[in-house]
Structure formats: C-alpha cells, structure tokens
C-alpha cells in the first residue's frame, strides 16, 4: 500500500506539474512564431516523474538531465522567467542565452545540465557522485535518461562503475515508450531495466510513472538508499511522450487512438482527481491553481520576449570557465 503524500505537498506538486505543462504549452506557441532557435523537446505527459523524484532532493544535490529537460529544471527549483529567456536565447536566461532549450544548466540549483547526447548525462552523474563521495558529503546525484539511452555503452559503463565504487547515484529511467520513432518494447531486451540492474548488483524498482504518489514513494525509498551510502539505485518510471519527439514531429509512427489512450492517464488529471477525492481541494480550487500558473507563465513569456539578446562581446565570455551560476 502506497504511503499517502501529505496534502500540502500534494497541492505543491500539483501546482508544479501545471507549471511544467503550461511552460511547455507556451513554448509551442513561441516555437510556432519562430522565436525558439533550433529544436525543442517537450516533457508533456511525464510531469509526475520529475515532480515525484526531483522535488525530494536538496538544493546541494545534483541532477543530470536529457534533451527533454525543462521539467527536471523546474522541479529542481528553476524559475519560469530565466527558463523561458534561455529558451528564447536571451541574455537574462540561465546560461545567458547561449544554451537554449537543450542545454539549460544551473550550478547554483545543482543542475549539471540538459544534454544533447543521448546517455551523455550518465557519466557526468557518476563523475559528480565520485566527487561528492570523495568529499565525504551525503549529497545525491539523480540522472534521468530515456529508453533510447538504455542500450548505449555509456549507460552500462556508468552503472557498472557506480556499483563497484558504491557511488551515490539514482539512475532514473524514464521510459516514455519511444526513442524518436522506435518503440521501447522493440528496443529493450528483457522488456525492463530492472532485470539488468540485478546484473550490476544494484537494487531497482519499476513503477507507473503517471501515478504521482507511487513515483513519490518509490523515489523516497530510492533516495534514502542512495543517501545512506549503500550505493546506486535504479528507478524505472513508465510513462508516455504525449508530444512528438520534437515539437513539430508529424508522428506518423503511432496512432491517435494510442495517444488518446495515454491522455486518459494524464498524471496531472490523476493528481487532481486525488485532491478532489480526498477533499483536499474542490474542482474550482484546482482551476484557480491552473489559472494562477497560467498568469505566471504569461508574465514570464512577456519578460523573456522583452529581454535583450546577448551582446556580441559576450560571445567569448564563459568559454572554458564556469559560464553558469
Ligand atoms: C549518442 C546519440 N545518438 C543519437 C542521437 C539522436 N537522438 C536525439 S534524441 C534521440 C532519442 C532519444 O530517446 P530517449 O532516450 O528515449 O529519450 P526521449 O526522447 O524519449 O526523451 C536520438 C536517437 C543523439 N542525440 N545522441
Ligand atoms: Mg524515450
């Protein structure tokens, strides 16, 4: 039986998930208007994973993220204004406009960065965990990775090293069913990573990644294990990528029926149902939270749009130095 999340925390996580969702919805509009450089990968549908796991970290804990990293950053304490400014390539962004959607990082918040290299975040996380381990702190590093990363050499090397050195890493596998157009049930031998974790002598759990409470409880156990110095842990959260691989993907490789089926398992609506069922909030109060977050997102979009571009002189600043705060 899953432990219930305290009402106050549940409301906070519900609001945070709307923040992630409406942030991504705003990016769709900005992208369509030609204001987002390059490409952008949206986190819609997977919000319960970042909210359920990353919010349980301390600020001095680390995360290492993926190309689909906006939700991870918001869960680690990222604010809407510098997020959206970064995505629009503005000087007020987290990386002074030089990172964009796929490379947002903040050392102050403990985000070692989104990453354009599939599985690239795992060795970085193991390195961070080695540093904290040598420093004898009890900091934890959480690395998110997708099903596409599961069969990269990096992933196996990282898990093996983390295990033999008993490093404080939580390997957070977000199975959103697709790597571009390849289905994870086709690409993952054995169907689950939990079996592979046994090969690395690492405890593991597999949960419904669209069920916030289940993710939260599994993450609590996993983080406790890692923080107590017992070595790495693998948490597999099964979810679904509601949008295309990148925004604008024609999605010819899957049916509308399939996507609609997963829309009915929407993690935000499921959390809302929980809040109402437990009489923590009624539907009108839930709507108020949604509307409040929408106003915050709109305000942040206006801020980002009004922000200046980086200056030409800034081009050579922060090269080979710590360019992010
Ligand atoms: C090493 C490497 N190989 C291939 C690519 C191209 N690529 C970018 S994202 C992606 C799919 C990643 O799928 P997954 O790991 O499941 O993450 P998701 O997009 O589902 O979040 C691929 C193949 C890349 N960026 N890096
Ligand atoms: Mg995937």
């Amino acid at each position: 039986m899953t432990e219930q999340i305290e009402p106050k925390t549940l409301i906070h996580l519900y609001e945070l998930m709307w923040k992630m969702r409406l942030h991504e919805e705003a990016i769709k509009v900005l992208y369509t208007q030609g204001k987002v450089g390059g490409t952008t990968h949206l986190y819609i549908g997977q919000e319960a994973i970042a909210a359920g796991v990353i919010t349980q970290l301390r600020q001095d804990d680390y995360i290492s993220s993926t190309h689909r990293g906006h939700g991870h950053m918001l869960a680690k304490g990222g604010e809407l204004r510098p997020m959206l400014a970064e995505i629009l390539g503005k000087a007020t962004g987290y990386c002074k406009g030089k990172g964009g959607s796929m490379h947002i990082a903040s050392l102050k918040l403990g985000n070692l960065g989104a990453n354009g290299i599939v599985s690239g975040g795992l060795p970085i996380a193991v390195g961070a965990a080695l540093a904290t381990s040598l420093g004898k702190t009890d900091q934890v590093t959480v690395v998110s990775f997708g099903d596409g990363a599961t069969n990269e050499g990096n992933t196996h090397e990282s898990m093996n090293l983390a295990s033999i050195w008993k490093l404080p890493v939580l390997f957070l596998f977000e199975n959103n069913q697709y790597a571009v157009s390849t289905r994870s049930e086709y690409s993952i031998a054995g169907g689950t990573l939990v079996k592979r974790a046994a090969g690395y002598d690492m405890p593991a759990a597999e949960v419904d990644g669209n069920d916030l409470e289940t993710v939260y409880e599994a993450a609590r156990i996993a983080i406790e294990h890692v923080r107590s110095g017992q070595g790495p842990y693998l948490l597999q959260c099964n979810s679904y990528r509601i949008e295309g691989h990148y925004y604008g993907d024609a999605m010819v490789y899957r049916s509308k029926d399939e996507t609609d089926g997963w829309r009915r398992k929407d993690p935000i609506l499921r959390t809302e149902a929980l809040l109402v069922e437990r009489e923590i909030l009624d539907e009108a109060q839930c709507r108020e939270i949604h509307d409040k977050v929408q106003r915050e997102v709109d305000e942040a979009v206006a801020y980002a749009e009004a922000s200046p571009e980086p200056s030409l002189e800034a081009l050579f600043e922060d090269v080979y130095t710590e360019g992010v705060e």
Side-chain angles (χ1 to χ4, degrees):
M1 179 73 184
T2 307
E3 285 270 326
Q4 286 195 1
I5 301 178
E6 289 212 0
K8 216 173 114 209
T9 308
L10 199 57
I11 295 172
H12 168 69
L13 297 177
Y14 172 70
E15 180 171 337
L16 173 64
M17 289 196 293
W18 271 127
K19 199 185 269 191
M20 294 178 197
R21 175 74 54 92
L22 298 177
H23 174 268
E24 303 297 62
E25 292 291 346
I27 292 173
K28 284 190 195 173
V29 176
L30 292 164
Y31 188 85
T32 308
Q33 294 169 342
K35 293 173 182 165
V36 179
T39 184
T40 189
H41 307 84
L42 304 177
Y43 197 60
I44 294 177
Q46 296 172 235
E47 293 91 345
I49 305 173
V53 179
I54 296 173
T55 57
Q56 297 195 63
L57 298 178
R58 304 192 309 233
Q59 183 161 338
D60 69 342
D61 288 331
Y62 292 114
I63 62 165
S64 174
S65 174
T66 67
H67 55 286
R68 203 176 296 287
H70 306 160
H72 305 137
M73 180 67 165
L74 288 170
K76 194 71 173 65
E79 289 175 20
L80 290 168
R81 284 172 156 216
M83 281 291 292
L84 283 157
E86 187 57 45
I87 288 161
L88 294 190
K90 299 299 184 78
T92 52
Y94 271 112
C95 304
K96 304 177 189 171
K98 298 179 198 172
S101 165
M102 236 193 302
H103 301 99
I104 294 182
S106 165
L107 294 185
K108 198 154 80 189
L109 294 175
N111 182 356
L112 300 172
N115 203 313
I117 307 297
V118 173
S119 82
L122 286 96
I124 293 173
V126 170
L130 177 60
T132 58
S133 164
L134 291 173
K136 301 204 180 333
T137 75
D138 67 346
Q139 287 157 284
V140 163
T141 300
V142 174
V143 54
S144 304
F145 59 102
D147 38 290
T150 60
N151 303 313
E152 295 279 353
N154 259 348
T155 303
H156 306 291
E157 292 168 38
S158 300
M159 288 185 180
N160 189 60
L161 207 55
S163 181
I164 59 171
W165 287 347
K166 280 204 170 316
L167 297 178
V169 189
L170 169 55
F171 292 99
L172 179 60
F173 170 30
E174 301 194 37
N175 184 356
N176 63 5
Q177 313 301 324
Y178 286 93
V180 189
S181 54
T182 303
R183 293 183 66 88
S184 65
E185 65 187 19
Y186 164 82
S187 65
I188 301 177
T192 169
L193 238 54
V194 167
K195 290 186 201 164
R196 295 191 196 174
Y200 297 120
D201 201 18
M202 190 187 300
E206 178 175 353
V207 296
D208 175 352
N210 282 21
D211 180 338
L212 177 70
E213 211 155 48
T214 304
V215 173
Y216 194 86
E217 173 69 0
R220 188 186 63 74
I221 293 166
I223 293 168
E224 210 169 86
H225 172 93
V226 173
R227 205 182 293 287
S228 67
Q230 297 176 74
Y233 195 104
L234 175 86
L235 178 59
Q236 172 169 344
C237 297
N238 299 322
S239 182
Y240 193 76
R241 194 195 69 207
I242 290 288
E243 291 295 329
H245 171 58
Y246 53 88
Y247 185 57
D249 174 358
M251 288 190 270
V252 289
Y253 46 84
R254 66 187 191 185
S255 69
K256 187 172 173 305
D257 272 1
E258 179 187 305
T259 313
D260 285 348
W262 279 91
R263 279 185 201 279
R264 288 192 283 278
K265 297 186 238 174
D266 186 307
I268 304 185
L269 300 184
R270 280 169 78 176
T271 305
E272 186 167 315
L274 216 59
L275 286 164
V276 173
E277 185 190 298
R278 291 186 192 156
E279 298 181 349
I280 298 169
L281 296 178
D282 61 25
E283 278 161 15
Q285 287 168 316
C286 288
R287 193 81 335 230
E288 269 170 37
I289 290 179
H290 166 279
D291 294 351
K292 179 177 84 111
V293 174
Q294 185 65 67
R295 284 193 298 276
E296 286 169 7
V297 169
D298 292 346
E299 193 277 328
V301 168
Y303 168 85
E305 292 215 67
S307 289
E309 306 267 342
S311 67
L312 202 56
E313 297 81 66
L315 195 62
F316 295 106
E317 287 171 9
D318 305 321
V319 179
Y320 303 118
T321 63
E322 285 183 1
V324 290
E325 289 178 5

